[in-house]
Amino acid sequence: NAGVTQTPKFQVLKTGQSMTLQCAQDMNHNSMYWYRQDPGMGLRLIYYSASEGTTDKGEVPNGYNVSRLNKREFSLRLESAAPSQTSVYFCASSARWRVSYEQYFGPGTRLTVT
Amino acid sequence: GNSVTQMEGPVTLSEEAFLTINCTYTATGYPSLFWYVQYPGEGLQLLLKATKADDKGSNKGFEATYRKETTSFHLEKGSVQVSDSAVYFCALIPQGGSEKLVFGKGTKLTVNP
C-alpha cells in the first residue's frame, strides 16, 4: 500500500519555465490537497479538490493551476515559474466521510526556481 | 478567522527530558485538533488527534488534551528520545465540515543523547 506518492522528488527550474507536479493516492480517498511549505510559515493550502471534477482555491493559489484527473490523481501546474515559488510542495488526501478528516501526506517535492 | 499559534522553536532537549510544546487556537465552536510530525526529509504524519472537548489524543508516548476553556491542545511527552527529533505541527479543522486544515508554523525539536 503506497499511500500518497509524488513525482518528482526534486526539481530545478529557471524563471518562466513551466512544470507539473504529480500526485496519486491509492486509498480511495475523495479529497486531495496541495500545500506549500516555507521556512517559518508552516504549511499553506494552495488548492484542494473535494471530489473528482471539482477544485477550489486555498490560501495561496496565485501562479498555480490544478487538475483532478480522476479519483486517484491530482496535479499541480506552474505555468511560468517565479523565484517566489521556490518551496517544498506536499500533496495530501483524506477520506471525506470520516468525521475527523484525517489527511495523509506524500513525501514532498522540493522545487527551486532560479 | 481560524488560526493556530504554537510555541516558537527551536527546542533542544536532552534524552529522557520532559517535553511540552504549547498550542492554542482561534476558531468558533468545536474544531477538530491535530498534531502532525515531520521527520527530516519526509512528509507529515498524523501523530494524534482529538475531535471533542476534553478528549485526550495519544500515540507513541505523546499526549495532548483538547481544552475548550483555554482553547489549547498542548503536546507532551514524559521522556523524549533522540528519534523524536522532528518538526511538530499543531493544526485544526473548523467545525462544520470544512476540510481545510489550518496549521501552526511548526516547532522544531532536537533531542541530544
Side-chain angles (χ1 to χ4, degrees):
Chain A
N1 191 347
V4 180
T5 57
Q6 293 183 235
T7 56
K9 286 193 164 109
F10 301 94
Q11 183 71 48
V12 178
L13 290 178
K14 293 188 173 156
T15 298
Q17 288 185 319
S18 61
M19 79 161 294
T20 299
L21 282 66
Q22 306 287 355
C23 173
Q25 53 90 10
D26 63 1
M27 296 175 281
N28 201 35
H29 286 168
N30 288 309
S31 298
M32 298 185 73
Y33 313 81
W34 277 106
Y35 294 91
R36 59 178 290 174
Q37 183 180 28
D38 302 295
M41 300 292 291
L43 274 77
R44 292 180 291 171
L45 183 65
I46 304 171
Y47 271 94
Y48 88 104
S49 170
S51 62
E52 183 180 349
T54 68
T55 61
D56 200 3
K57 294 179 181 179
E59 183 183 353
V60 288
N62 291 342
Y64 305 95
N65 287 301
V66 291
S67 295
R68 182 75 182 268
L69 304 169
N70 48 56
K71 192 171 186 179
R72 290 187 64 248
E73 298 172 290
F74 188 37
S75 63
L76 178 72
R77 182 159 179 85
L78 288 69
E79 291 291 350
S80 178
S84 60
Q85 294 178 305
T86 293
S87 188
V88 182
Y89 291 86
F90 289 100
C91 178
S93 70
S94 68
R96 195 160 183 254
W97 53 269
R98 290 188 64 174
V99 174
S100 61
Y101 300 133
E102 175 182 335
Q103 293 187 17
Y104 295 81
F105 285 77
T109 295
R110 188 174 295 274
L111 174 67
T112 302
V113 183
T114 61
Chain B
N2 302 305
S3 65
V4 174
T5 303
Q6 59 182 106
M7 64 186 287
E8 294 189 12
V11 174
T12 302
L13 296 173
S14 297
E15 207 164 24
E16 299 184 1
F18 184 85
L19 169 71
T20 299
I21 300 178
N22 290 335
C23 171
T24 57
Y25 68 88
T26 300
T28 55
Y30 292 83
S32 295
L33 302 174
F34 305 83
W35 277 101
Y36 280 84
V37 58
Q38 184 180 29
Y39 298 104
E42 298 184 10
L44 279 71
Q45 305 173 25
L46 181 67
L47 181 59
L48 53 84
K49 65 185 179 188
T51 58
K52 58 183 188 292
D54 300 324
D55 267 2
K56 177 185 281 188
S58 62
N59 186 25
K60 299 182 181 179
F62 291 89
E63 292 184 341
T65 301
Y66 189 144
R67 301 283 188 205
K68 175 67 173 170
E69 64 276 13
T70 54
T71 62
S72 65
F73 193 54
H74 304 321
L75 182 68
E76 296 182 337
K77 187 175 185 182
S79 176
V80 294
Q81 306 300 313
V82 172
S83 57
D84 294 327
S85 297
V87 181
Y88 293 81
F89 292 92
C90 186
L92 68 83
I93 289 179
Q95 184 181 14
S98 166
E99 300 169 54
K100 301 177 185 179
L101 268 171
V102 177
F103 284 93
K105 294 184 178 180
T107 302
K108 183 175 182 180
L109 170 67
T110 300
V111 180
N112 294 319

